[in-house]
Amino acid sequence: MTELTFTILKYGFVIALWLFAWMAVRSLHRDITSFLPSSKRSRAKRKHSKNAVMVGAGDAEGGRTPPVHVAQNIREPRSVTNEMPTGPIQPLHSMATTPADDEGTEGIAARAAGAAGSGAEPTLLIVIDGPLAGATVPLTGQPITLGRGTSNTVVLDDEFVSSSHARVSLDPHTHQWMIEDLNSTNGTFVNESRINGIMTLAPRIPVRIGATTFELR
């Protein structure tokens, strides 16, 4: 073996060693980056922008409102004004009682009745916060169900949402829209107060289910 051949093999081995080290560092960097919260939020925002939906007025044959599906594996809700604080998510049933809870269901119903008498009848259910923010469901008089089950009108892929969580329906006697909690695990919150059973839902009164907030307009 000549000295030139030995030199070429030596430098070739050094270059191959550096190339292997660079590829290993690059792969490790990608793995670490994929677990950073900022990367998760950016991927979630990209998925939100691709999966924002606008529900039509129902199918032409049966007049039934089609289900609204949310993107899979989205777990970080967006706040209306500020980002949610980082840290472990606490179950909704373990959160501290807010001042609004002191009013009880009667106080919420009184405010809802006052709001209902001050404006026109609502025509849309609008999601104002959460993975489906911006989605709308027309109020055609048919019940609207919300939950993780695929048979619901609005399907929410949220670990804090029950399979059949809540229902919005029109009272045939009073012609007012009602919100009903279907014995969910983590509850339905109207104006940040947890409800029991069924109550009147006035326009522009926020309803929170897991990471999703909606209202009637």
Side-chain angles (χ1 to χ4, degrees), residues 2-104:
T2 65
E3 183 177 354
L4 177 60
T5 303
F6 177 77
T7 302
I8 292 175
L9 291 176
K10 180 177 66 175
Y11 283 105
F13 175 77
V14 172
I15 293 173
L17 183 62
W18 276 104
L19 182 61
F20 175 78
W22 176 79
M23 293 178 65
V25 171
R26 183 182 179 185
S27 177
L28 181 61
H29 178 265
R30 285 183 177 179
D31 292 341
I32 295 175
T33 304
S34 64
F35 290 101
L36 293 178
S38 60
S39 298
K40 290 184 179 180
R41 284 196 294 268
S42 63
R43 288 200 302 272
K45 290 180 180 179
R46 287 197 297 272
K47 289 184 179 179
H48 295 166
S49 62
K50 292 180 180 178
N51 292 277
V53 294
M54 180 68 69
V55 181
D59 52 32
E61 296 182 358
R64 182 173 60 85
T65 304
V68 180
H69 291 270
V70 64
Q72 299 294 321
N73 300 323
I74 297 178
R75 289 290 184 264
E76 296 190 11
R78 294 181 292 110
S79 174
V80 176
T81 55
N82 298 298
E83 290 292 334
M84 292 285 289
T86 58
I89 300 176
Q90 298 296 328
L92 296 180
H93 58 76
S94 66
M95 291 183 178
T97 303
T98 60
D101 291 333
D102 297 335
E103 291 184 321

Side-chain angles (χ1 to χ4, degrees), residues 154-168:
V154 181
V155 180
L156 302 172
D157 182 19
D158 188 334
E159 60 184 340
F160 294 128
V161 175
S162 299
S163 178
S164 296
H165 196 106
R167 176 170 52 221
V168 177

Side-chain angles (χ1 to χ4, degrees), residues 104-179:
T105 306
E106 293 79 3
I108 303 173
R111 290 202 310 275
S118 61
E121 293 185 0
T123 59
L124 293 174
L125 182 153
I126 300 181
V127 180
I128 60 176
D129 188 27
L132 273 178
T136 62
V137 180
L139 300 177
T140 62
Q142 299 296 323
I144 298 173
T145 57
L146 304 98
R148 282 194 300 177
T150 57
S151 61
N152 291 287
T153 309
V154 181
V155 180
L156 302 172
D157 182 19
D158 188 334
E159 60 184 340
F160 294 128
V161 175
S162 299
S163 178
S164 296
H165 196 106
R167 176 170 52 221
V168 177
S169 59
L170 184 65
D171 190 308
H173 303 291
T174 63
H175 299 286
Q176 291 182 332
W177 286 96
M178 314 294 289
I179 178 71

